[in-house]
Amino acid sequence: MARKLDQTDRAILRILQKQGTPSQRELAEKVGLSQNACWRRLNALREDGVIAHDTVRLNASALGLTLTVFVLMRTRHHSREWFETFRKVVSSIPNIVDFYRIAGEYDYLLKVVACDMNDFDRVYQQIISKVELDAITSYMTMETLADNRDLPV
């Protein structure tokens, strides 16, 4: 069951999503708590799995990763063994930043970031050389309108 969040927990989470790693004093001041009370809440949120991990959002374009591709894949294989092989292949490719099993006409959705079309083709070739798939279709993005948006807390 999901942890019941109060308004202070939600305020802490909103600030962390926007700012990342404010000092504990700054965070406590913004939510109206003592540093100790804020520290206890942060620990509880981590222990309950609400805060999964602390990260930094990187600017893909500044790193030369200017192409984002959404890849839909369909397979005829639905065994646990096939899936574990597929998961290992996909997880081993750093350019694949998101990976979902989906319902509908396709079975899987990947989000791939790449420097250019040749870089994406290298990722594509890695996948198809190691895993049997029925159909693949790719959608190249033209512009990012919203990405990695904060969760609604």
Side-chain angles (χ1 to χ4, degrees), residues 113-139:
V113 294
C115 297
D116 54 28
M117 189 59 78
N118 289 332
D119 193 28
F120 170 69
D121 187 53
R122 179 188 55 76
V123 171
Y124 176 85
Q125 294 298 328
Q126 278 183 281
I127 296 168
I128 65 168
S129 70
K130 296 176 182 171
V131 181
E132 185 180 342
L133 294 162
D134 186 44
I136 301 174
T137 190
S138 302
Y139 295 92

Side-chain angles (χ1 to χ4, degrees), residues 135-151:
I136 301 174
T137 190
S138 302
Y139 295 92
M140 284 59 175
T141 63
M142 295 170 44
E143 178 182 11
T144 300
L145 303 174
D147 190 31
N148 292 316
R149 296 180 61 205
D150 293 343
L151 294 177

Side-chain angles (χ1 to χ4, degrees), residues 56-74:
V56 173
R57 290 183 185 170
L58 303 178
N59 180 334
S61 293
L63 295 169
L65 299 167
T66 58
L67 178 64
T68 300
V69 183
F70 290 94
V71 181
L72 290 164
M73 299 179 160
R74 182 172 50 236

Side-chain angles (χ1 to χ4, degrees), residues 14-125:
R14 282 192 296 273
I15 291 166
L16 291 175
Q17 285 189 114
K18 295 275 186 235
Q19 196 172 343
T21 55
S23 71
Q24 196 165 311
R25 181 180 59 176
E26 182 182 359
L27 181 59
E29 287 173 5
K30 286 183 176 185
V31 298
L33 294 175
S34 70
Q35 286 187 48
N36 285 341
C38 187
W39 180 82
R40 283 191 298 274
R41 288 208 182 226
L42 279 172
N43 281 342
L45 290 166
R46 285 186 177 102
E47 287 173 12
D48 292 343
V50 176
I51 298 174
H53 49 73
D54 299 321
T55 69
V56 173
R57 290 183 185 170
L58 303 178
N59 180 334
S61 293
L63 295 169
L65 299 167
T66 58
L67 178 64
T68 300
V69 183
F70 290 94
V71 181
L72 290 164
M73 299 179 160
R74 182 172 50 236
T75 182
R76 291 184 189 149
H77 306 281
H78 297 283
S79 70
R80 173 60 59 196
E81 180 182 345
W82 180 91
F83 176 72
E84 288 306 322
T85 299
F86 182 55
R87 184 196 324 239
K88 284 178 187 173
V89 169
V90 169
S91 298
S92 74
I93 303 171
N95 296 74
I96 301 172
V97 295
D98 290 313
F99 173 33
Y100 301 95
R101 186 167 61 90
I102 59 174
E105 185 178 344
Y106 288 88
D107 300 306
Y108 300 96
L109 171 68
L110 311 178
K111 180 180 179 184
V112 179
V113 294
C115 297
D116 54 28
M117 189 59 78
N118 289 332
D119 193 28
F120 170 69
D121 187 53
R122 179 188 55 76
V123 171
Y124 176 85
Q125 294 298 328

